[in-house]
Amino acid sequence: MRPIALIALVLLIGLLWKIAPGKTLSEMLALTGAEGVVTVRAEQAGFRSNPLPATQCRSCHAQHFEEWSRSFHAQSLTSDDFIRAFSHYLDSLGEQAREHPQSSMACLSCHAPVLKQAEPEIIRQVTAFVLAKETEKLAGFEVGCVACHSAGSGVFSGPIRDPQDNPFHASKFSTSYKEAAFCANCHTWASSTVPCSDVYTDWRKSRAAKRGATCQSCHMGEASGSAASGGPQRKIHDHLFPGGRSPAMLQQAVTVRLSAAFWKDRLQVTATVRNLVPHRVPDG
């Protein structure tokens, strides 16, 4: 289906939603005669060969998309650091192990979590695209909207207790988005995988954890805004996910004090670094 036609269909459904409140998506599609078209698009989005890219969510969730697009979640497969580390990791394996999809999944289970249910050939293709730096072919496989919010069967979940009905997908509330454990799958290092981020384990032992300060409280700042176009004003969360690569975040994370003194004929300089956050700095 051509992009212009798809946009026109979305606009038509939106208009029907306004003039025919209470109609289900299927009923509205029947009015447009486009049931088959949307069914095909839904099957394509359901991930056999390609997952649903974040750009599909942009028209309704513009602010979240703009923030996410500048985040390192959006670059989870395409940053120079990841491509270099992923290549070195695979090179360190024997040829037979390197060709096995599960070898790639030691990294991709976090950097491309939608691949966890993918067929082996898809994993091999994504691996090849990463190594060849064919980044334009990786859209939708990164840590995007689907990776965190898809609850399966066309349902998207989030931290809003009373999500507003819409004609594009079903929505439901989940308390898990308010808990630090939501981040644990990809920010806890297990000995059976590639050593990487372990901030969640550090956090669990911290005073911050004991007083209920979660990962989200530092890395997903709250503000008043609309979760979706035309939606009510709510408490929403930043999707930039600032961390160790953010100068502003680093300034809040550590303090550095220098002292210098002569001892005999030498100048001795002592640097004292104080960590102000509930995990190691740097990490990962």
Side-chain angles (χ1 to χ4, degrees), residues 6-24:
L6 180 59
I7 292 171
L9 176 60
V10 170
L11 292 174
L12 177 57
I13 293 173
L15 177 61
L16 287 169
W17 185 258
K18 292 294 185 183
I19 64 176
K23 294 288 187 182
T24 66

Side-chain angles (χ1 to χ4, degrees), residues 71-73 81 187 197 199 218-219 240-254 275 277 279-284:
S71 76
F72 276 88
H73 279 178
D81 287 345
H187 292 281
S197 176
V199 290
C218 286
H219 298 282
L240 183 59
F241 311 104
R245 297 176 179 87
S246 164
M249 183 66 76
L250 283 175
Q251 288 179 359
Q252 301 174 47
V254 296
N275 183 2
V277 297
H279 53 73
R280 281 167 285 186
V281 176
D283 175 86

Side-chain angles (χ1 to χ4, degrees), residues 2-3 6 14-15 18 21 28 32 110 113 123 126 145 152-153 158 165 168 216 244 247 270 275 278-279:
R2 294 183 178 181
L6 180 59
L15 177 61
K18 292 294 185 183
M28 287 187 291
T32 67
C110 286
I123 298 172
V126 171
C145 311
S153 302
D165 289 339
F168 308 108
Q216 294 90 327
T270 301
N275 183 2
H279 53 73

Side-chain angles (χ1 to χ4, degrees), residues 63-74:
Q63 179 176 335
H64 289 340
F65 175 83
E66 191 279 330
E67 292 166 350
W68 169 86
S69 65
R70 293 186 287 119
S71 76
F72 276 88
H73 279 178

Side-chain angles (χ1 to χ4, degrees), residues 2-60:
R2 294 183 178 181
I4 294 177
L6 180 59
I7 292 171
L9 176 60
V10 170
L11 292 174
L12 177 57
I13 293 173
L15 177 61
L16 287 169
W17 185 258
K18 292 294 185 183
I19 64 176
K23 294 288 187 182
T24 66
L25 178 57
S26 297
E27 289 170 337
M28 287 187 291
L29 292 175
L31 292 174
T32 67
E35 307 100 310
V37 171
V38 174
T39 299
V40 170
R41 294 293 297 179
E43 289 174 353
Q44 291 173 345
F47 183 48
R48 291 294 294 175
S49 59
N50 281 301
L52 183 69
T55 50
Q56 294 283 339
C57 308
R58 175 170 50 185
S59 60
C60 291

Side-chain angles (χ1 to χ4, degrees), residues 159-239:
I160 295 175
R161 287 188 176 277
D162 54 342
Q164 198 171 49
D165 289 339
N166 69 84
F168 308 108
H169 62 76
S171 305
K172 75 172 186 177
F173 165 70
S174 174
T175 58
S176 63
Y177 291 88
K178 298 177 179 291
E179 300 166 356
F182 187 86
C183 309
N185 285 341
C186 288
H187 292 281
T188 304
W189 171 68
S191 58
S192 59
T193 60
V194 178
C196 195
S197 176
D198 201 17
V199 290
Y200 179 74
T201 301
D202 287 346
W203 170 86
R204 287 188 63 187
K205 303 172 184 176
S206 71
R207 289 192 296 269
K210 292 181 174 63
R211 68 172 185 268
T214 63
C215 310
Q216 294 90 327
S217 62
C218 286
H219 298 282
M220 296 187 72
E222 293 182 346
S224 178
S226 177
S229 300
Q233 289 291 300
R234 302 179 181 274
K235 183 183 292 183
I236 61 174
H237 296 83
D238 192 331
H239 280 60

